[in-house]
Amino acid sequence: MDAINWSELSFGYMKTDYNVRCYYRDGKWGELEVSSSELLTIHIAATCLHYGQEAFEGLKAFRGKDGQVRVFRMDENGKRLQASSRGIVMAEFPVEKFEEAVRKVVKLNERFVPPYGSGASLYIRPLLIGLGAQVGVAPASEYMFLVFVTPVGPYFKSGFKPAPVCIMRGYDRAAPLGTGTIKVGGNYAASLVAGRKAQENGYAAVLYLDPKEKKYLDECGPANFFGIKDNSYITPGSNSILPSITNKSLQQLAKDMGLNVERRSIEVEELATLEEAAECGTAAVITPISQIDDLDEHKSYVFSKDGKPGPICEKLYNKLKSIQCGDEPDPYGWVTILQ
Ligand code: PLP
Ligand code: COI
């Protein structure tokens, strides 16, 4: 292959050597299969195409200074994929099999795990889709699990530099009692119009409000939200946001650094009192927010004027990265070293 310029990678797709697949037929999951094809051949009436029976995950593998490859919290992604499957009536993929598939696909594509210190990582994308044909609205009886990998750089162009986001009340990514808490493609389809509008206006992302009252902060299109004030890490408690594994990890790290952790409703106006604000997620890692423009109320909440991340965001970022790469011990058992 042509040499990859690891430090210049963006968050995009690159062909790798193999993907791993598994089929659910006659009420049971089969064996893991290895494929070198980037293509799928599926039925024209497959439920994933018509009725959105599709859920996905995102996790990362990192290469350490010691050359070893570490995967971050894959059991959590396996469990969340099961929750997503229950949410849209798909067959649940066993967590142990999920972990086996992840280990296998990373091993098979080990030459694509970016070198230590490059700032890049190997993004792992598991996918579960309804394959069976239906024309009436009903769940499929056949499913496919698939996992591919691709080396990636930062999700937001800014990387670990503060970026602006906006609030627009005219759009929701999920309904109040809808699919916001699970990782299904429909949520992302629903975010595309607002996302494009935000980008056209120079924003990295939309910060959605709760879809019922439009009073509280929910999350960003591809990431959770947190703020820092008075030695507290504050993140929205909401039943229309994705339970982010990165956010859960940061809450633990914040607690162990001596911060208070508050998971609760955050009114939009409370933004005025925050000292730092950021997005967090597998792809976003921690992306500090420079300012939040409320486009309906014509108000701006500014967190960084000098283009630098706030001190707590920086501390959390360094701690998380060090555990992921193996620079620091992992007292939480979050990391799986691939043998
Ligand atoms: N929220 C949304 C809508 C996401 O798509 C993601 C990405 O997975 C997250 C939050 C962050 O979740 P995690 O930290 O588990 O990647
Ligand atoms: C992730 O952080 O893994 C995501 O899924 C966000 C986005 C790429 C959809």
Side-chain angles (χ1 to χ4, degrees):
M1 72 183 175
D2 292 339
I4 298 172
N5 191 350
W6 303 104
S7 53
E8 292 298 314
L9 283 178
S10 61
F11 194 91
Y13 178 81
M14 177 188 294
K15 184 181 187 315
T16 53
D17 292 335
Y18 300 102
N19 55 81
V20 171
R21 304 168 180 211
C22 188
Y23 294 89
Y24 180 88
R25 295 190 184 109
D26 303 320
K28 55 181 190 301
W29 288 101
E31 297 299 316
L32 299 181
E33 298 172 18
V34 175
S35 170
S36 57
S37 169
E38 291 171 284
L39 306 180
L40 287 179
T41 301
I42 62 174
H43 196 285
I44 55 174
T47 60
C48 64
L49 298 176
H50 299 261
Y51 302 129
Q53 268 201 309
E54 184 272 349
F56 69 100
E57 272 304 326
L59 61 160
K60 279 178 175 170
F62 304 86
R63 193 176 299 276
K65 213 185 264 177
D66 54 8
Q68 287 189 304
V69 177
R70 291 167 173 81
V71 183
F72 190 67
R73 302 196 82 170
M74 62 176 163
D75 54 326
E76 292 287 334
N77 294 90
K79 285 188 263 177
R80 192 169 64 188
L81 184 62
Q82 292 193 326
S84 297
S85 300
R86 288 193 293 275
I88 55 170
V89 198
M90 299 199 290
E92 287 179 47
F93 195 61
V95 173
E96 308 79 70
K97 217 169 179 125
F98 178 94
E99 294 188 21
E100 190 190 335
V102 168
R103 274 196 293 268
K104 198 174 194 115
V105 76
V106 175
K107 263 271 167 244
L108 287 167
N109 293 291
E110 197 174 335
R111 68 192 185 102
F112 292 96
V113 182
Y116 173 81
S118 62
S121 55
L122 189 73
Y123 187 68
I124 305 164
R125 173 51 67 86
L127 175 74
L128 206 162
I129 57 175
L131 277 191
Q134 291 287 358
V135 179
V137 179
S141 50
E142 295 189 355
Y143 293 87
M144 178 190 207
F145 170 84
L146 165 78
V147 54
F148 70 79
V149 296
T150 190
V152 295
Y155 187 74
F156 294 109
K157 274 202 299 283
S158 57
F160 188 60
K161 281 222 202 80
V165 308
C166 65
I167 292 173
M168 293 187 281
R169 285 168 190 70
Y171 305 90
D172 291 317
R173 63 177 283 284
L177 298 175
T179 53
T181 57
I182 57 175
K183 204 163 167 62
V184 295
N187 296 343
Y188 299 84
S191 75
L192 290 175
V193 171
R196 187 169 62 184
K197 193 165 168 185
Q199 256 156 30
E200 281 169 359
N201 288 290
Y203 297 103
V206 179
L207 173 55
Y208 289 93
L209 301 188
D210 79 278
K212 191 168 178 198
E213 295 183 81
K214 304 274 172 167
K215 202 168 151 190
Y216 305 105
L217 305 181
D218 238 358
E219 66 173 331
C220 296
N224 271 185
F225 173 86
F226 72 85
I228 305 289
K229 78 167 170 187
D230 300 335
N231 202 43
S232 291
Y233 177 106
I234 307 167
T235 193
S238 160
N239 47 23
S240 45
I241 65 175
L242 193 75
S244 155
I245 297 157
T246 312
N247 193 351
K248 187 171 162 181
S249 310
L250 292 173
Q251 289 173 47
Q252 179 74 52
L253 297 177
K255 198 164 135 246
D256 293 349
M257 281 175 185
L259 293 160
N260 305 308
V261 173
E262 299 174 28
R263 208 179 138 265
R264 58 165 171 84
S265 302
I266 307 174
E267 288 192 23
V268 182
E269 291 70 29
E270 196 179 337
L271 285 173
T273 67
L274 297 181
E275 295 150 18
E276 299 179 38
E279 298 180 56
C280 65
T282 298
V285 196
I286 291 179
T287 303
I289 296 175
S290 55
Q291 74 181 64
I292 299 174
D293 290 348
D294 184 333
L295 299 182
D296 307 303
E297 299 287 328
H298 306 290
K299 265 195 196 164
S300 289
Y301 303 92
V302 178
F303 304 101
S304 170
K305 286 197 187 118
D306 57 3
K308 292 204 186 106
I312 309 269
C313 277
E314 182 142 23
K315 213 168 150 193
L316 285 167
Y317 178 86
N318 289 335
K319 187 81 190 171
L320 178 70
K321 298 290 296 174
S322 305
I323 293 176
Q324 289 176 329
C325 295
D327 285 345
E328 282 192 39
D330 166 29
Y332 311 103
W334 288 343
V335 160
T336 304
I337 299 180
L338 293 190
Q339 298 305 334

